[in-house]
């Protein structure tokens, strides 16, 4: 049986992972430093935590469910106790991309990150439709990167990713650099920023007299159909009026050089700010 040492097991993400791992054939040793986290894990799932040195003994995989800012410190503190050939799994590309993982050639570094359930899906249950984050009832995709280690280790890393983020519909292989383009680049710098702008735009029309409920219904409804056309969920086209609004609206809203957020130096600077 493959043994996993789960660090940060009592955190919000750690509890999610602990719950899913309990439904697999992996043997899981839970590690949590905070009393609040230990109590949460015990109350919600009935699991006790182990000291790091006990959990790491004969561990085949070490999953780090800890904040990006703590990855370097946590990994440096345990690296000498990790057995040769073991795999260390990070849940985000930020710290690995920034070079915060210690140098050790005889361990594997793997990164697995959830895509989260897509807006357009075929969830048939209320629980699935309400599982916006994923890892509970809704199908989602995941992205994986084998940063360091033998090619044969990819299958194990992917299996861990599918287990902790279950239920998983699709699994995609990328590099650490490509994962950094996806996050923070695509998902946070671009998507989150533009969604925040859309919320501000909704608030603006409300401030100008439109009833809030009407503005919300109008915006979310148009996001649904416009997104379905733009992302090919339906075979449709925009009206001439809509196309003209886009043609004149984009230069007002977006700088001509906005795609520079994907340049390597911009991605590196963004990751440095969060790690």
């Amino acid at each position: 049986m493959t043994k996993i040492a789960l660090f940060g097991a009592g955190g919000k993400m750690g509890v999610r992972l602990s719950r899913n791992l309990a439904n697999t054939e992996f043997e899981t040793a839970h590690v949590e430093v905070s009393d609040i986290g230990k109590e949460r894990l015990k109350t919600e799932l009935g699991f006790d935590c182990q000291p790091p040195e006990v959990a790491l003994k004969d561990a085949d995989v070490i999953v780090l469910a800890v904040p990006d800012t703590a990855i370097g410190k946590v990994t440096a503190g345990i690296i000498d106790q990790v057995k040769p050939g073991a795999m260390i799994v990070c849940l985000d590309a930020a710290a690995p991309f920034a070079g915060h993982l210690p140098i050790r050639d005889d361990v594997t570094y793997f990164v697995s990150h959830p895509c989260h359930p897509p807006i357009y899906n075929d969830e048939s249950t209320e629980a699935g439709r309400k599982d916006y984050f994923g890892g509970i009832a809704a199908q989602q995709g995941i992205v994986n990167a084998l940063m360091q280690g033998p090619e044969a280790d990819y299958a194990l890393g992917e299996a861990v990713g599918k287990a902790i983020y279950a239920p998983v519909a699709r699994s995609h292989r990328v590099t650490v650099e490509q994962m950094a383009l996806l996050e923070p680049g695509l998902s946070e710098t671009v998507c989150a920023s533009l969604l925040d702008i859309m919320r501000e735009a909704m608030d603006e029309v409300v401030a100008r007299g439109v009833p809030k409920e009407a503005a919300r219904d109008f915006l979310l409804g148009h996001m649904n159909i416009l997104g379905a056309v733009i992302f090919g969920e339906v075979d449709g086209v925009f009206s001439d009026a809509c196309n003209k609004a886009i043609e004149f609206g984009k230069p007002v809203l977006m700088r001509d050089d906005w795609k520079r957020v994907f340049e390597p130096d911009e991605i590196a600077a963004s990751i440095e700010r969060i790690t």
Side-chain angles (χ1 to χ4, degrees):
M1 182 179 292
T2 301
K3 178 181 178 181
I4 292 178
L6 175 59
F7 279 70
K12 290 182 179 179
M13 191 64 183
V15 170
R16 288 173 176 270
L17 271 54
S18 296
R19 180 180 289 109
N20 282 347
L21 285 170
N23 297 319
T24 72
E25 295 183 354
F26 290 113
E27 174 191 353
T28 305
H30 305 86
V31 180
E32 175 59 51
V33 297
S34 76
D35 291 336
I36 293 176
K38 291 176 183 178
E39 180 63 26
R40 180 189 296 122
L41 190 66
K42 183 68 173 178
T43 301
E44 294 192 23
L45 301 178
F47 297 147
D48 293 313
C49 292
Q50 299 180 7
E53 62 274 12
V54 175
L56 288 169
K57 184 175 175 57
D58 297 324
D60 304 293
V61 179
I62 298 91
V63 176
L64 302 178
V66 300
D68 291 330
T69 53
I71 290 287
K73 181 179 180 180
V74 171
T75 312
I78 67 171
I79 193 64
D80 291 339
Q81 302 175 65
V82 176
K83 72 177 184 180
M87 174 183 292
I88 295 177
V89 177
C90 296
L91 308 184
D92 190 281
F97 181 92
H100 292 171
L101 298 178
I103 296 174
R104 186 170 158 190
D105 294 336
D106 63 345
V107 300
T108 293
Y109 286 134
F110 194 89
V111 187
S112 186
H113 192 79
C115 297
H116 304 298
I119 294 173
Y120 304 108
N121 59 58
D122 57 357
E123 296 296 334
S124 59
T125 66
E126 183 70 10
R129 290 189 292 272
K130 293 293 186 180
D131 182 14
Y132 303 117
F133 187 88
I136 299 176
Q139 296 278 334
Q140 66 176 328
I142 61 173
V143 289
N144 309 295
L146 178 63
M147 181 179 181
Q148 172 185 301
E151 177 62 26
D153 279 1
Y154 181 83
L156 174 59
E158 184 180 48
V160 171
K162 288 181 176 179
I164 61 179
Y165 299 129
V168 172
R170 291 169 298 280
S171 177
H172 310 282
R173 184 169 184 173
V174 297
T175 65
V176 171
E177 292 75 19
Q178 289 169 340
M179 199 179 292
L181 286 171
L182 294 173
E183 186 167 303
L186 181 62
S187 63
E188 296 173 343
T189 304
V190 176
C191 184
S193 297
L194 294 180
L195 286 171
D196 196 53
I197 289 294
M198 284 193 279
R199 173 57 192 264
E200 287 188 23
M202 187 191 80
D203 291 342
E204 180 63 21
V205 300
V206 170
R208 292 171 181 260
V210 177
K212 183 176 181 179
E213 293 77 9
R216 179 182 169 87
D217 276 352
F218 207 81
L219 178 60
L220 295 182
H222 278 74
M223 285 172 63
N224 188 33
I225 181 56
L226 295 174
V229 173
I230 289 172
F231 289 97
E233 288 294 318
V234 297
D235 184 14
V237 296
F238 292 155
S239 67
D240 290 342
C242 183
N243 284 327
K244 282 207 172 290
I246 294 171
E247 178 184 353
F248 286 94
K250 286 176 69 173
V252 175
L253 298 172
M254 305 293 292
R255 291 172 46 148
D256 291 340
D257 64 343
W258 70 266
K259 291 181 182 178
R260 66 185 175 83
V261 299
F262 294 112
E263 292 298 324
D265 59 336
E266 292 286 343
I267 293 291
S270 179
I271 286 177
E272 183 178 359
R273 289 190 289 269
I274 63 175
T275 57

